[in-house]
Amino acid sequence: MNLAEQLEQDEKYEEAYAEYKKQMAKKPSDIELLTKLAHLALILEKKDDAQIYFGKILEVDPANILAHEQLLDIFVHEDKFKYYLIRGNLHALQQQMSHARNDYKKAIDAAKDAQEALPARYLYAGLCEGQAKYTEAIDEYLKISDYDEKNPIVFLKLAELYEKTEGLISAIQILERGRQDRGFENFEEILAGYYIRNSQPEKAYELAQSELTKARALFDMGKNDAGYEILMSIKDKYSNEKIFHSLLAQYYFQKEMFDEAFKEIDEYAKLDPNSPLIYQMRALIYEAKGDSFNEHLNWGSYNIVRGDRDVALNEFMTAYRFNDSNVDLIETIAALLEAEGDKTKACEFYEKLADVDKDNKLALEKLAEFRESIGDNYGALEYLERLKSIDPRNQFVEANYEKYKNQAENGGFASFLKRIFGSKMGA
């Protein structure tokens, strides 16, 4: 036990407090030490010091519940603004978002002036945004813009929210307001990106600061050679940037130089292998080439990466209509159907997979499992026998063969009918 702890145990609180303060000079971010100092400050009725130490605890550990609760006790009668602000933070930590929003509103009302209210307004706006209450978030950020005039983040947030609610034009208008009324010159490049997405490449070209953005705008204007000339002039500088390769792919695509476009997409994929843009670019090229199978195959992969499985499944099903013997595609469709809980439909595709690829271990294993699950023990054993002949040491075979064999030999009416009427029944 060190000296400070001994003094505290002996209830010599002033001396213990002084000793802990000496230790804090060496360990200013030590949570345990800050907690002891805050606790002793309360005992010694040094509320201002206690606030400081509990505040430091939250700087180091923003999720510290004890510090929040102690500060609430301190501020409940002394400072309603800080009380509601901290209570809002505590409720947010506890995932009680409706309570948190109410607290932030009360903090705003309790603030002595607009400047003091700003932290609560930012927290309230952010919480509304996180809960997809975009209209409320917009209203709050607009109020913030009246008081925090030099903060460009407010306008960027508003642009994001307007794009989600009212569209690109409203987003552009708020950014132009920030650029023209508030003098945020760094908005020019951001605005160029918005203008490109809003199919206004001429305006984007006027504002663009980056050579890459200028090249993109020129491509969108149909000035392919001028855009290509810019890209070649900055090749050494940007050849390791994925956007450089995506723009070159766009150039080659628009020139119908599809092989070269594919090469640039491959270079892009080396830099960002998980990007949905890879599959989007490939899909567009295959569409231009009239290759419907690969077009829909890539749109399926594009939606898989984006997390939209329903759309992906529809695209893969469309691809299947153009080529019903592609092993990878059939396996992908079966896996997606199984993930959706449609095991019967999934097994239809596992059966197709086993027909196309006779030695496909996954298909045989899935079919054996499915047949066993519906009580077709004889059918399950048939698939397991096929799997065993391919891979006698297969782990699934070793774990289930005797069980499936016993069930088939002793198993119920379905297996009896199977033996009498043949393997086509129940298929």
Side-chain angles (χ1 to χ4, degrees):
M1 183 181 296
N2 63 39
L3 176 58
E5 290 172 336
Q6 184 63 60
L7 290 167
E8 185 179 1
Q9 187 171 315
D10 294 341
E11 298 184 7
K12 296 179 179 179
Y13 298 129
E14 283 282 6
E15 295 174 55
Y17 186 66
E19 192 61 35
Y20 280 131
K21 286 179 74 173
K22 292 178 185 177
Q23 293 178 19
M24 196 188 73
K26 297 178 182 178
K27 298 188 288 184
S29 299
D30 187 292
I31 295 287
E32 184 179 356
L33 182 56
L34 288 168
T35 303
K36 287 181 180 293
L37 279 164
H39 174 67
L40 285 173
L42 288 175
I43 291 174
L44 296 168
E45 297 185 359
K46 300 176 184 286
K47 284 191 175 183
D48 289 344
D49 286 1
Q51 291 174 31
I52 291 170
Y53 293 126
F54 283 125
K56 287 182 179 292
I57 290 170
L58 291 180
E59 288 176 12
V60 178
D61 179 17
N64 192 294
I65 300 296
L66 175 65
H68 280 90
E69 291 174 341
Q70 292 293 335
L71 285 170
L72 287 177
D73 288 340
I74 292 171
F75 291 129
V76 64
H77 298 302
E78 296 185 5
D79 191 325
K80 288 298 183 184
F81 169 74
K82 291 180 180 177
Y83 172 78
Y84 286 120
L85 187 66
I86 291 166
R87 197 171 77 170
N89 291 343
L90 180 58
H91 280 138
L93 283 172
Q94 295 169 335
Q95 298 299 307
Q96 298 176 356
M97 299 308 180
S98 61
H99 292 307
R101 286 173 57 237
N102 288 334
D103 285 329
Y104 292 143
K105 277 186 176 180
K106 290 177 181 178
I108 293 167
D109 292 339
K112 65 177 180 288
D113 55 39
Q115 199 63 34
E116 184 180 58
L118 276 175
R121 288 195 183 280
Y122 273 110
L123 289 166
Y124 180 71
L127 197 56
C128 289
E129 184 181 357
Q131 293 186 297
K133 297 180 182 296
Y134 299 134
T135 302
E136 289 182 54
I138 288 170
D139 289 343
E140 204 58 44
Y141 279 123
L142 286 171
K143 291 173 186 174
I144 291 169
S145 70
D146 292 334
Y147 303 115
D148 198 4
E149 297 181 358
K150 296 182 180 180
N151 191 346
I153 298 298
V154 178
F155 286 84
L156 295 176
K157 281 288 184 184
L158 282 166
E160 290 176 10
L161 290 164
Y162 276 129
E163 184 176 358
K164 290 176 181 177
T165 55
E166 299 180 19
L168 282 166
I169 293 175
S170 294
I172 288 169
Q173 287 173 344
I174 195 68
L175 288 173
E176 285 287 13
R177 178 181 149 196
R179 182 173 76 95
Q180 295 173 14
D181 296 351
R182 303 290 172 88
F184 297 143
E185 294 180 1
N186 59 333
F187 277 16
E188 291 181 346
E189 181 67 17
I190 297 166
L191 268 164
Y194 273 88
Y195 277 120
I196 282 175
R197 283 168 29 226
N198 199 47
S199 302
Q200 294 177 270
E202 294 84 359
K203 190 68 177 177
Y205 185 79
E206 288 177 20
L207 293 172
Q209 303 297 302
S210 160
E211 298 99 326
L212 292 168
T213 307
K214 288 178 180 179
R216 169 67 190 277
L218 287 167
F219 290 148
D220 288 359
M221 285 189 279
K223 299 179 179 180
N224 296 322
D225 292 337
Y228 181 76
E229 187 176 337
I230 289 178
L231 289 181
M232 291 301 99
S233 72
I234 58 174
K235 183 177 180 179
D236 292 341
K237 182 178 179 182
Y238 291 107
S239 60
N240 290 322
E241 298 285 338
K242 61 183 183 180
I243 188 173
F244 175 80
H245 295 287
S246 71
L247 288 171
L248 265 182
Q250 181 181 351
Y251 167 75
Y252 288 127
F253 171 72
Q254 292 179 183
K255 299 287 281 187
E256 297 187 0
M257 300 167 67
F258 298 135
D259 290 341
E260 289 81 356
F262 277 128
K263 289 177 184 177
E264 292 304 324
I265 295 169
D266 290 341
E267 291 300 316
Y268 181 100
K270 291 176 185 177
L271 298 168
D272 189 3
N274 299 315
S275 171
L277 185 60
I278 298 165
Y279 304 103
Q280 182 183 37
M281 290 189 289
R282 287 175 180 160
L284 291 169
I285 293 172
Y286 282 121
E287 181 183 9
K289 287 167 64 72
D291 185 341
S292 298
F293 170 72
N294 279 303
E295 175 196 343
H296 290 286
L297 190 66
N298 277 278
W299 280 127
S301 297
Y302 168 77
N303 283 289
I304 283 287
V305 176
R306 295 177 71 228
D308 198 337
R309 290 191 172 193
D310 290 340
V311 177
L313 183 57
N314 287 334
E315 292 291 344
F316 287 135
M317 286 292 197
T318 303
Y320 179 76
R321 291 205 296 270
F322 292 102
N323 184 346
D324 61 1
S325 61
N326 184 282
V327 170
D328 290 337
L329 174 59
I330 297 170
E331 187 173 317
T332 298
I333 292 172
L336 282 171
L337 289 166
E338 189 175 10
E340 288 189 347
D342 192 346
K343 291 188 176 181
T344 301
K345 190 71 175 175
C347 276
E348 288 181 20
F349 278 89
Y350 281 125
E351 285 177 352
K352 295 176 191 295
L353 184 58
D355 289 339
V356 173
D357 182 6
K358 304 291 185 185
D359 294 341
N360 192 292
K361 298 175 187 178
L362 174 66
L364 295 173
E365 179 181 325
K366 292 290 186 182
L367 289 166
E369 281 183 321
F370 178 71
R371 289 297 177 186
E372 195 266 346
S373 72
I374 62 173
D376 181 4
N377 300 317
Y378 192 75
L381 181 62
E382 281 185 335
Y383 284 117
L384 206 61
E385 290 282 10
R386 283 176 61 180
L387 185 55
K388 184 180 179 184
S389 68
I390 297 164
D391 185 8
R393 292 191 172 185
N394 182 279
Q395 188 176 358
F396 183 79
V397 172
E398 290 181 350
N400 293 285
Y401 186 77
E402 291 301 325
K403 172 189 169 185
Y404 280 25
K405 184 179 179 183
N406 289 333
Q407 288 177 171
E409 290 173 350
N410 304 298
F413 188 62
S415 292
F416 172 72
L417 291 177
K418 197 76 169 177
R419 291 192 186 113
I420 293 175
F421 294 107
S423 60
K424 288 186 178 181
M425 184 169 182

